[in-house]
Amino acid sequence: MSEQVTERSDMWSNSYIFVLAAAGSAVGLGNIWKFPYIAGENGGGAFVLVYLICIAVIGIPVMASEIMLGKLGRASPIQALLNLTRKHNRSTNWSIVGYMGVVTGFLILSFYAVIAGWVCYYIVRLFSGEFTGADANAVGEAFGAFLADPMQVLLWFSIFMVITIFFVARGVTRGLELCVRYSMPAVFVLLLILIGYGIHAGGFIESMAFLFTPDFSSLSPQAILIALGHAFFTLSLGMGAIMAYGAYVPQDVSVGTTTFTIAILDTVLALLAGLAIFAIVFAYGLVPGAGPGLLFETVPIAFGNLPGGALFGGLFFLLVALAALTSAISISEPVIAYVSERSRLTRAQIAVIIGVVCWVLGVGSVLSFNVWSDVKLAFFEWTFFDSLDKLTQLVLLPLGGMLIALIVGHVLPKAVVYEELGLIREKAQQSWSYIVGYVTPIAVFAVFIIEAIREIQAHL
Ligand code: PHE
């Protein structure tokens, strides 16, 4: 088994770098772009509460499971699962989770890079001072005009894709480390500045109330599935990204501490982004449920009206783009690792192939916001972008996560798992087995069933 590791076992030279890389994977568009807009679309408080519960009850155990599987299997997710099931005489069919993750990775990266392209364009737009003194209307129109122009969107998507492939091809870990070490605290500071603006502009109290006062009457069964899916998306779980990174961790890394650190960091950043964005929404009388454009229709207003806003605003979008880049790199890692084990292709060649496939798929998402905005999947009324987004977030990631929990809870021998987690006390062992073996998979399964019944009823 060790042959597979030797080549890249030096990837994270210590546990601190692994934490940074995993946090770099987790913190990205999911926190700053997606969380606020889906919280807005799903009514705020109650949705946020369900999301937090999903992080705690499902996200954390699955993240610990993924890091552990990577560490035990020491290979790409597919190979790691093959290694482990063979070693313990279990069915190798469980490796299907690894294959699912590879497919999911292509789908996610294709639309993730489109949104990251929007962010790149906004770096330039803010630095240029275009939004200085702009009001909500002007900012909204500027965004609409950009989205309506497929060539422009395609251009920025392609730019982000090329940058991602460049870094993926080089297999940089140092760059990743530097990027995360400096850009994450900086994002944090800029979000605090935005919140300060919200307090000054007068929307902050309402923003707090919106995000933290649960009103369960507004919570639909679909919102529960969305919150669950987002818990996986935002923590990079269910598709092997964290498992692939886990394959390179030094033996002495504590799975538990790492998991909690990443989950807390990720959640705090999402909540801060939400608070900042909704403060602007309420200060300017905008609608919380504006959809995927929310970030781009709110944040420029704040920077447009702050002293030095062009500089700080440009910097903000630059940092968001870097956060997206460190996530995008991790999305491709399961594929890269698998193909390099199985073929003689170099990392660069594989990266280019991934780039081309994702680019072709991504064109569909680019067009979803303009030329193809009326082309919708029958039954669900989803555009191409919606379809990929929902298929991955609502089906593939939760399903992958559920299977991962089942593997750790029921397929691997318990003693191996306890040893890896350093669980010595019997109480701790029992609680872990109970959570990962029953609570987590049953919770995901129950949400699936409830949602399926609702869909069937709605379409009868
Ligand atoms: N967690 C990343 C984000 O929040 C997205 C991601 C999903 C990364 C799945 C890896 C795997 O932006």
Side-chain angles (χ1 to χ4, degrees):
M1 203 166 51
S2 56
E3 311 86 71
Q4 281 110 353
V5 241
T6 40
E7 197 189 336
R8 285 191 308 271
S9 59
D10 59 343
M11 189 162 171
W12 319 121
S13 36
N14 59 51
S15 64
Y16 177 64
I17 299 181
F18 168 66
V19 174
L20 282 178
S25 168
V27 174
L29 296 177
N31 308 63
I32 294 160
W33 160 73
K34 196 167 207 182
F35 171 72
Y37 97 74
I38 57 175
E41 282 180 337
N42 291 287
F47 175 85
V48 173
L49 186 64
V50 175
Y51 156 77
L52 293 176
I53 294 172
C54 290
I55 295 277
V57 177
I58 299 168
I60 288 179
V62 173
M63 178 169 289
S65 301
E66 279 208 30
I67 300 176
M68 184 171 61
L69 286 174
K71 230 177 132 183
L72 286 169
R74 291 289 181 201
S76 71
I78 296 176
Q79 192 60 45
L81 292 170
L82 286 171
N83 290 348
L84 288 171
T85 44
R86 281 199 192 117
K87 181 168 170 196
H88 299 292
N89 288 323
R90 303 296 202 266
S91 161
T92 52
N93 287 339
W94 288 100
S95 62
I96 191 120
V97 182
Y99 291 97
M100 260 172 54
V102 165
V103 174
T104 311
F106 276 107
L107 301 180
I108 294 182
L109 188 54
S110 79
F111 72 80
Y112 199 83
V114 173
I115 310 296
W118 301 359
V119 174
C120 293
Y121 178 51
Y122 268 67
I123 304 174
V124 178
R125 266 192 139 169
L126 273 114
F127 274 139
S128 78
E130 180 187 339
F131 295 114
T132 308
D135 59 12
N137 254 339
V139 169
E141 272 168 26
F143 181 67
F146 165 57
L147 268 202
D149 181 353
M151 287 320 280
Q152 184 83 315
V153 182
L154 186 68
L155 171 73
W156 290 98
F157 156 57
S158 309
I159 291 175
F160 184 83
M161 205 69 231
V162 169
I163 298 174
T164 304
I165 294 314
F166 174 77
F167 283 104
V168 168
R170 296 198 25 190
V172 278
T173 54
R174 268 214 76 69
L176 206 94
E177 179 197 347
L178 281 178
C179 187
V180 179
R181 182 178 291 169
Y182 296 105
S183 69
M184 208 125 69
V187 173
F188 186 81
V189 171
L190 282 170
L191 284 174
L192 291 184
I193 294 180
L194 278 176
I195 290 179
Y197 177 81
I199 295 175
H200 163 78
F204 182 69
I205 304 287
E206 256 177 292
S207 175
M208 285 281 280
F210 180 71
L211 286 175
F212 298 116
T213 323
D215 165 16
F216 286 99
S217 64
S218 68
L219 194 72
S220 65
Q222 171 149 48
I224 301 179
L225 181 59
I226 296 174
L228 171 73
H230 187 66
F232 285 103
F233 185 85
T234 192
L235 292 176
S236 308
L237 301 175
M239 55 143 305
I242 294 291
M243 209 192 292
Y245 275 7
Y248 313 125
V249 301
Q251 202 45 46
D252 63 338
V253 163
S254 151
V255 175
T257 323
T258 316
T259 301
F260 280 108
T261 313
I262 300 164
I264 290 170
L265 237 162
D266 188 81
T267 308
V268 167
L269 273 165
L271 293 176
L272 286 181
L275 278 174
I277 286 175
F278 287 112
I280 304 170
V281 165
F282 293 116
Y284 287 89
L286 305 172
V287 275
L294 188 66
L295 170 71
F296 305 89
E297 290 168 338
T298 51
V299 167
I301 312 176
F303 284 117
N305 290 287
L306 273 171
L311 179 66
F312 286 112
L315 201 60
F316 175 81
F317 280 99
L318 178 64
L319 293 166
V320 175
L322 287 176
L325 181 64
T326 53
S327 301
I329 292 173
S330 75
I331 300 174
S332 69
E333 189 57 35
V335 194
I336 291 266
Y338 179 65
V339 182
S340 31
E341 282 162 4
R342 286 303 165 98
S343 73
R344 294 192 174 282
L345 297 176
T346 63
R347 223 183 137 90
Q349 288 165 332
I350 308 166
V352 170
I353 298 171
I354 296 175
V356 171
V357 176
C358 287
W359 188 86
V360 172
L361 271 175
V363 173
S365 292
V366 166
L367 298 177
S368 298
F369 295 96
N370 35 65
V371 185
W372 285 359
S373 59
D374 291 328
V375 182
K376 293 195 172 151
L377 194 71
F379 205 63
F380 290 110
E381 295 282 302
W382 290 340
T383 60
F384 187 82
F385 164 81
D386 294 333
S387 308
L388 292 194
D389 176 40
K390 311 254 185 214
L391 176 67
T392 51
Q393 177 178 335
L394 306 186
V395 183
L396 294 171
L397 296 182
L399 187 62
M402 182 175 95
L403 294 173
I404 286 165
L406 288 175
I407 294 174
V408 172
H410 299 283
V411 178
L412 293 186
K414 290 213 170 358
V416 174
V417 174
Y418 297 151
E419 193 194 318
E420 190 55 56
L421 288 176
L423 295 175
I424 298 160
R425 295 203 341 264
E426 199 177 326
K427 263 246 155 340
Q429 298 180 343
Q430 277 170 352
S431 322
W432 164 263
S433 293
Y434 176 69
I435 292 174
V436 85
Y438 299 97
V439 178
T440 304
I442 291 174
V444 177
F445 190 68
V447 176
F448 272 149
I449 294 295
I450 295 171
E451 177 58 18
I453 294 174
R454 192 200 70 104
E455 277 301 332
I456 293 167
Q457 278 175 345
H459 288 95
L460 272 185

